[in-house]
Amino acid sequence: MEPVIIVLIILVVLVFIALIKTIQVIPQASAAIVERFGRYTRTLNAGLNIVVPFIDTIRNRIDLREQVVPFPPQPVITQDNLVVNIDTVIYYQVTDARAATYEVASYIQAIEQLTVTTLRNIIGGMDLERTLTSREEINAALRGVLDEATGKWGIRVNRVELKAIEPPTSIQDSMEKQMRADRDKRAAILQAEGVRQSEILRAEGEKQSQILRAEGEAKAAALRAEGEAQAVRTVFEAIHAGDPDQKLLSYQYLQMLPKIAEGDANKLWIVPSEIGDALKGLSGAMGNFGGLGGGNGGASGGGVPAQERREKPSID
């Protein structure tokens, strides 16, 4: 009985192992390569799959999701003979599991070496300044070359990014000094432009202010002259409307004499001839009104002009 039991146990174990090898569960976004006696048979997709145990074998399991692979810095020589270190990042995806397994031994290593050689060819035709400012151009050129070369490997390169471009330390110092000088130059130019604009605006403001002030003074003078002319016309019209005689005019002239003599600085003042004539007329009128003699009136009337021109006594 014991040998039979042992054989049964061995058979159960073999059946269990066969079941395990027969049923293959492939995760989502994955694929498996099946070989039969060392030859490719088929590709297992995601889900439950049945294979022939001990005859079919799983050669490789491949992740079909997009992969991100960073490559270490690579020294590259630019057109102006400067060595720069460039870090790259590749975003790729396996589209054909069979080609990725049989067309290339290691597609990761192949992509890396292809990226390095392509990068050196592209950077070799650019100077340092263009290399630092043309990342999009370099990325597009890299992606085009890699996508064309890896297509037969069952690989699709989605994106290529330059993570860092590091020039030599001496070049970095020179670039920093140049950038600092450029910033100082731009700051000085902006400051000079600001001062110039401020002076222009100030001059324009002063010019406008002077123009407005002159216009205001001209208008004020015109209004003042117009007012004085209106006053003269009003007085003239009032005088003519009142029809004054020689006596009233003589009296008005006499009232103006104290105003002419006003002021402490007036040492000498001259009576106009019109006032003399007015005094003659007023004297004659008063002589006639008072019944005085003609000789006295004539003496007084004739003596006024002689006494009009006299020096005003100074007031200390």
Side-chain angles (χ1 to χ4, degrees):
M1 291 294 294
E2 291 182 359
V4 175
I5 295 174
I6 292 174
V7 172
L8 291 175
I9 293 174
I10 292 173
L11 289 175
V12 171
V13 172
L14 290 175
V15 170
F16 183 74
I17 294 174
L19 289 174
I20 292 176
K21 287 185 173 291
T22 301
I23 301 173
Q24 296 291 330
V25 178
I26 306 301
Q28 183 66 34
S30 298
I33 301 299
V34 179
E35 292 181 349
R36 180 171 294 177
F37 301 115
R39 184 178 180 180
Y40 170 76
T41 303
R42 61 194 174 108
T43 300
L44 301 181
N45 296 319
L48 183 64
N49 296 273
I50 305 298
V51 297
V52 179
F54 306 108
I55 297 177
D56 295 340
T57 58
I58 303 298
R59 166 66 186 275
N60 192 13
R61 295 177 182 269
I62 299 177
D63 194 346
L64 301 179
R65 295 174 297 179
E66 185 175 7
Q67 305 293 321
V68 181
V69 179
F71 295 144
Q74 299 294 329
V76 181
I77 300 177
T78 61
Q79 188 178 12
D80 46 358
N81 296 324
L82 293 175
V83 179
V84 295
N85 294 322
I86 299 180
D87 296 348
T88 55
V89 179
I90 304 296
Y91 297 80
Y92 73 92
Q93 186 176 8
V94 177
T95 57
D96 189 351
R98 178 183 176 279
T101 303
Y102 296 105
E103 296 295 334
V104 63
S106 175
Y107 55 82
I108 296 296
Q109 186 177 1
I111 292 175
E112 180 180 1
Q113 296 303 319
L114 183 60
T115 301
V116 172
T117 56
T118 305
L119 191 61
R120 287 176 178 174
N121 292 333
I122 296 174
I123 300 300
M126 300 181 176
D127 55 9
L128 179 60
E129 184 176 358
R130 184 181 175 188
T131 301
L132 296 175
T133 58
S134 303
R135 291 197 176 193
E136 293 296 332
E137 181 181 354
I138 298 172
N139 293 340
L142 269 176
R143 183 182 179 279
V145 173
L146 291 176
D147 197 19
E148 181 180 0
T150 58
K152 62 180 180 179
W153 300 341
I155 306 295
R156 182 176 68 244
V157 177
N158 296 325
R159 295 182 63 186
V160 180
E161 295 291 341
L162 300 183
K163 187 167 60 175
I165 300 177
E166 297 179 359
T169 305
S170 59
I171 301 299
Q172 292 182 8
D173 296 338
S174 300
M175 292 173 62
E176 290 179 359
K177 292 179 181 179
Q178 182 180 1
M179 292 175 61
R180 189 179 302 110
D182 290 339
R183 286 195 296 268
D184 294 341
K185 177 182 177 181
R186 287 195 298 269
I189 291 174
L190 291 176
Q191 185 176 2
E193 288 290 337
V195 173
R196 175 175 172 271
Q197 191 67 21
S198 176
E199 293 296 333
I200 291 174
L201 293 176
R202 185 180 297 108
E204 289 291 338
E206 292 178 355
K207 176 183 176 182
Q208 191 68 20
S209 176
Q210 292 177 359
I211 292 174
L212 293 176
R213 189 181 300 111
E215 291 179 354
E217 291 177 356
K219 290 181 179 179
L223 292 175
R224 191 181 303 110
E226 184 178 356
E228 292 177 355
Q230 184 66 29
V232 171
R233 284 195 299 268
T234 303
V235 172
F236 181 77
E237 291 175 357
I239 291 174
H240 282 277
D243 192 14
D245 55 1
Q246 187 63 30
K247 299 177 183 180
L248 179 60
L249 294 176
S250 301
Y251 180 71
Q252 292 293 332
Y253 278 126
L254 289 176
Q255 286 183 339
M256 292 298 298
L257 289 177
K259 294 182 178 180
I260 296 175
E262 286 180 356
D264 297 337
N266 293 334
K267 303 297 184 180
L268 178 66
W269 53 277
I270 300 173
V271 178
S273 60
E274 289 81 357
I275 297 180
D277 296 336
L279 291 176
K280 290 179 182 179
L282 183 62
S283 176
M286 293 178 64
N288 295 330
F289 181 76
L292 298 177
N296 293 332
S300 61
V304 172
Q307 295 178 359
E308 286 175 354
R309 295 178 179 88
R310 64 179 180 276
E311 184 178 359
K312 180 183 177 181
S314 60
I315 301 174
D316 295 334

